[in-house]
Amino acid sequence: MGMFQRDQQIFADAAPLDDSYEPEDIRERDDELEKYQRALQPVIDNRPTSNIFLYGKTGTGKTVATKFMLSHLEADAATYDDVDLSTVWVSCENLSSSYQVAVALVNEIRESQNKEKISTTGYSQQRVFDILYDELDALGGTVILVLDEIDNIGHSDDILYGLPRARSNGYVDEVRPVIIGISNDFKFRENLSPKVKDTLAEKEILFPPYDANQLRSILKPRAEKSFHDGVLADEVVPLCSAFAAQDTGSARQAIRLLREAGELAQANDCESVSEDEVRDAQEELEKNQLYEGMQELTTQGHAVLCALAYHQSLEEVPIRSSDLYERYTKICERLDADSVSERRVRDHLSDMNMLGLISVYEHNEGLSAGRYHEYELDVPLTAVLDVLLSTNRFKDLADIIESTADDNNLLQSDLSDY
Ligand SMILES: Nc1ncnc2c1ncn2[C@@H]1O[C@H](COP(=O)(O)OP(=O)(O)OP(=O)(O)O)[C@@H](O)[C@H]1O
Ligand SMILES: [Mg+2]
């Protein structure tokens, strides 16, 4: 038998559990879709259309709702001879400035016309904006520009000044650009300057997190398509929905959980997916989240974590903050990095506590000893070492900690409960 065999038991078609899958209908978003429809109606009526700004946390359906609305709008616009509509979609996920967004828009337009793309560097910003205006004018009619995950451009938001005013400023005259901005970062929206907010966010649509019932209704049709009949126990979809609702209210998370549970059942050669697989999948995903949380810490955060891991490997935990701080400064010296104050280190520790990476114990021993804090890891040492080993800077230290822990036989037991 081969190492890989096609599964016949669990999944009938895994595509509906994929992130790129486009569902036939958008569920539980009637109010939002109605607002969206009203905002886009002027396109069909050949009236000036406001810019639209969608915001809401990750996995709340902003992207999927926009794809859905635009495909309907495009199909319906095509039935009117006098409606000239084009749409340009740019995901700003890997774009960090207005310059890059402008280049991406130009190239998206050029690509759809089989024209040569422009270089992503070497122009002045004004030159790229001018090229963009020319491309837009050449398209004419209404051009909807979707800037998905626009928060990635941070403060470099010139394009959000420029584009909405391109027509009134006389940069374009054949085209009516309409911007749909999408963001899951509430701070980005708050920090938009009043001028940008006035134009970009003429129409705002908020996508709130889903509750468990809504997630259930979103999951159900996908579950039916994805799994063979009778494979899913009744409580699987409700449990996935409940876990995701408790945590983030993200449909993406709920779908991932369902897929992960199915994959676990498949890996274990089960004939069905039950509550147990969902609980295991949830644990697995939580672990990944912790891992990501650790990876995203700054160098200072990693140094603090490294100091704590060292004491953990010596079995000297919980450890008082003054002792931990001493270790931390030594680590910084060794790394040739600047160290921060003990107070800042305590801030890092309290951030890590919030991320669920470490435990903090507060002691109040009266006047003599005073108040102090003690710390220990709340995640397995091996997980911390994995993260530190994956960085260039901490690799050597992590090797030392690993062998110390090994000498103390800490890693075996640690591994088994990870
Ligand atoms: N109301 C819904 N009906 C059906 N499927 C949905 C619905 N909402 C979300 N989904 C599905 O959940 C997943 C996440 O949705 P989507 O990508 O639209 O989220 P988002 O708000 O754009 O998140 P992010 O801010 O992370 O980009 C997708 O697979 C999408 O198809
Ligand atoms: Mg999205």
Side-chain angles (χ1 to χ4, degrees):
M1 267 201 296
M3 186 178 197
F4 297 98
Q5 288 166 62
R6 184 166 298 167
D7 165 67
Q8 311 279 5
Q9 273 178 349
I10 302 285
F11 291 109
D13 173 15
L17 301 180
D18 203 85
D19 224 25
S20 58
Y21 175 76
E22 287 180 27
E24 280 150 37
D25 62 341
I26 308 296
R27 306 186 137 225
E28 308 291 335
R29 284 292 185 224
D30 291 354
D31 292 349
E32 291 78 8
L33 291 185
E34 201 187 302
K35 256 197 205 163
Y36 216 156
Q37 187 185 345
R38 258 186 280 135
L40 290 170
Q41 178 62 36
V43 173
I44 297 290
D45 301 338
N46 271 328
R47 288 186 284 124
T49 309
S50 305
N51 301 299
I52 303 170
F53 191 65
L54 264 55
Y55 64 108
K57 291 202 175 143
T58 185
T60 52
K62 302 177 298 296
T63 299
V64 77
T66 302
K67 291 216 162 117
F68 177 82
M69 289 311 283
L70 290 187
S71 75
H72 277 279
L73 185 68
E74 279 168 345
D76 295 342
T79 65
Y80 296 93
D81 289 340
D82 61 344
V83 176
D84 177 7
L85 169 70
S86 341
T87 59
V88 185
W89 186 297
V90 165
S91 163
C92 306
E93 195 183 342
N94 298 311
L95 310 176
S96 57
S97 65
S98 281
Y99 180 93
Q100 292 176 353
V101 171
V103 170
L105 284 168
V106 168
N107 284 336
E108 190 65 34
I109 297 171
R110 292 203 164 196
E111 196 176 9
S112 69
Q113 301 167 340
N114 292 320
K115 285 203 285 193
E116 203 182 323
K117 292 191 185 182
I118 64 168
S119 156
T120 53
T121 54
Y123 298 98
S124 69
Q125 174 160 300
Q126 194 49 54
R127 180 76 192 109
V128 178
F129 281 15
D130 287 341
I131 298 174
L132 176 59
Y133 295 145
D134 286 346
E135 294 291 347
L136 289 172
D137 245 352
L139 280 173
T142 301
V143 179
I144 296 185
L145 303 153
V146 182
L147 303 177
D148 198 0
E149 311 194 18
I150 183 66
D151 39 281
N152 287 296
I153 66 169
H155 291 292
S156 160
D157 56 4
D158 299 346
I159 196 159
L160 302 179
Y161 284 102
L163 262 182
R165 269 175 289 277
R167 198 175 165 108
S168 57
N169 285 343
Y171 293 127
V172 293
D173 32 46
E174 301 298 325
V175 68
R176 273 199 198 129
V178 175
I179 298 175
I180 299 181
I182 305 179
S183 166
N184 61 29
D185 181 352
F186 289 86
K187 273 202 219 103
F188 179 77
R189 178 181 163 276
E190 279 164 27
N191 292 343
L192 287 174
S193 70
K195 254 161 71 188
V196 174
K197 225 187 243 175
D198 274 358
T199 42
L200 175 64
E202 284 165 331
K203 295 259 153 70
E204 286 190 323
I205 310 177
L206 167 70
F207 281 61
Y210 293 113
D211 65 26
N213 286 329
Q214 292 172 319
L215 289 176
R216 224 186 269 203
S217 130
I218 292 169
L219 279 190
K220 215 166 156 253
R222 292 189 200 229
E224 276 163 12
K225 285 205 183 82
S226 302
F227 292 90
H228 284 297
D229 285 347
V231 159
L232 280 190
D234 286 347
E235 60 273 15
V236 168
V237 164
L239 197 58
C240 291
S241 308
F243 275 134
Q246 265 168 27
D247 189 16
T248 56
S250 152
R252 186 179 298 117
Q253 188 182 13
I255 295 167
R256 251 186 218 163
L257 201 48
L258 181 61
R259 188 180 63 204
E260 188 87 13
E263 285 173 356
L264 280 178
Q266 182 178 27
N268 297 337
D269 264 338
C270 303
E271 278 167 17
S272 60
V273 186
S274 73
E275 203 180 313
D276 290 344
E277 278 77 37
V278 179
R279 291 189 188 280
D280 290 349
Q282 168 70 6
E283 222 169 85
E284 194 70 26
L285 292 178
E286 267 172 13
K287 236 185 263 168
N288 290 343
Q289 268 175 18
L290 286 178
Y291 191 82
E292 277 164 25
M294 277 194 278
Q295 264 181 331
E296 280 164 11
L297 294 175
T298 59
T299 300
Q300 288 298 332
H302 281 145
V304 176
L305 195 63
C306 186
L308 188 53
Y310 186 67
H311 287 287
Q312 196 93 26
S313 74
L314 292 169
E315 296 186 275
E316 293 171 356
V317 281
I319 177 128
R320 285 175 71 142
S321 45
S322 51
D323 297 334
L324 185 63
Y325 184 69
E326 214 177 294
R327 177 69 52 196
Y328 155 83
T329 51
K330 285 199 186 120
I331 286 174
C332 289
E333 264 167 42
R334 198 189 155 112
L335 293 174
D336 220 1
D338 291 332
S339 53
V340 296
S341 68
E342 190 168 345
R343 196 196 163 103
R344 277 297 294 142
V345 166
R346 277 203 300 270
D347 289 342
H348 280 292
L349 287 162
S350 98
D351 288 348
M352 287 187 234
N353 180 38
M354 286 214 299
L355 285 170
L357 303 175
I358 65 171
S359 306
V360 183
Y361 309 99
E362 199 178 324
H363 295 272
N364 204 341
E365 315 244 295
L367 284 177
S368 56
R371 259 179 47 164
Y372 62 94
H373 289 98
E374 288 187 326
Y375 305 91
E376 75 178 317
L377 290 179
D378 199 20
V379 288
L381 183 57
T382 44
V384 176
L385 290 175
D386 275 353
V387 170
L388 295 176
L389 285 167
S390 72
T391 65
N392 280 329
R393 238 177 154 168
F394 289 89
K395 195 182 166 305
D396 291 347
L397 283 165
D399 278 332
I400 297 172
I401 298 173
E402 193 166 34
S403 61
T404 311
D406 220 12
D407 291 345
N408 290 328
N409 283 324
L410 283 176
L411 292 178
Q412 269 74 16
S413 56
D414 194 64
L415 264 178
S416 62
D417 60 53
Y418 184 48

